[in-house]
Amino acid sequence: MPKAFRFRFDPVLRYRRIWEERRKRDFAVARMDVERQQGLLGKLRESERLERKELEGLRRGSLDLAAIRMHMTYMSAIGRQIAVGDLELIRLREVEEEKRQDYSRARRDVAVLEKYRDNQRDAHNKDLDRVEQKNLDEIAVRRAALSLQPGR
């Protein structure tokens, strides 16, 4: 009975697949963090735009300096939040890129082992085919030899 194919690095492959899944999850979390930060910045920029529009209306309409000062202070606070948010977005993008590279390396490690396993399986199957063909050839030679014997 021919031996069944057994990949000797199967435990390593399983470990690398688990590692790849973890890296994939980490990358997805980093991607979601970037998208969340972009959403927050979009809302802040929209608030800033609306506040600018309202401030322009105040400047044209009346000379209520207290209201104008309050709006200017609010716009200044929004501007600071946007600046801090932009810095955070840059940091999150760097983390995302690092996680993407980690995931890419883990995926490549799994792919290399899978390719090696497939090559090993193909070589094993070729060996089995060669042994089977050898046995069939041997049977054919014996039959031919028996049929050439006189009295048979």
Side-chain angles (χ1 to χ4, degrees):
M1 185 78 191
K3 288 175 60 176
F5 175 72
R6 186 177 163 281
F7 185 52
R8 66 183 179 157
F9 293 114
D10 211 29
V12 175
L13 181 59
R14 279 195 305 274
Y15 172 78
R16 285 191 179 174
R17 282 185 177 145
I18 291 168
W19 186 254
E20 175 196 13
E21 279 302 312
R22 287 182 184 159
R23 299 293 71 88
K24 185 178 181 179
R25 235 177 294 138
D26 291 346
F27 174 57
V29 167
R31 182 73 207 130
M32 287 188 317
D33 288 346
V34 166
E35 289 173 1
R36 181 182 42 76
Q37 186 67 21
Q38 287 173 332
L40 290 172
L41 280 172
K43 288 177 184 176
L44 283 172
R45 286 194 171 93
E46 181 62 20
S47 290
E48 182 183 42
R49 187 187 66 75
L50 292 174
E51 194 62 30
R52 233 181 259 285
K53 198 174 189 180
E54 192 171 324
L55 185 60
E56 283 300 316
L58 279 175
R59 284 184 177 165
R60 282 191 212 133
S62 69
L63 291 176
D64 185 5
L65 292 179
I68 291 175
R69 185 177 300 221
M70 183 181 71
H71 284 284
M72 294 284 287
T73 303
Y74 182 64
M75 279 188 52
S76 175
I78 291 175
R80 284 191 300 274
Q81 287 177 345
I82 289 173
V84 168
D86 283 338
L87 292 174
E88 179 66 9
L89 182 61
I90 289 169
R91 186 190 70 76
L92 288 173
R93 282 187 174 147
E94 289 170 355
V95 169
E96 177 192 21
E97 179 61 23
E98 179 183 316
K99 298 297 182 184
R100 186 196 63 74
Q101 289 176 1
D102 288 347
Y103 172 57
S104 179
R105 266 186 247 113
R107 181 68 212 130
R108 191 172 41 249
D109 289 347
V110 168
V112 164
L113 267 181
E114 287 174 340
K115 179 110 174 112
Y116 182 65
R117 180 198 60 206
D118 293 344
N119 289 343
Q120 292 290 311
R121 183 181 295 127
D122 290 346
H124 176 76
N125 289 339
K126 284 179 184 176
D127 286 345
L128 289 179
D129 290 346
R130 194 179 71 251
V131 167
E132 183 179 1
Q133 187 61 47
K134 179 182 170 188
N135 290 338
L136 290 173
D137 289 347
E138 194 174 300
I139 290 171
V141 167
R142 286 184 185 171
R143 281 191 180 165
L146 284 175
S147 67
L148 292 177
Q149 287 180 351
R152 287 225 171 222

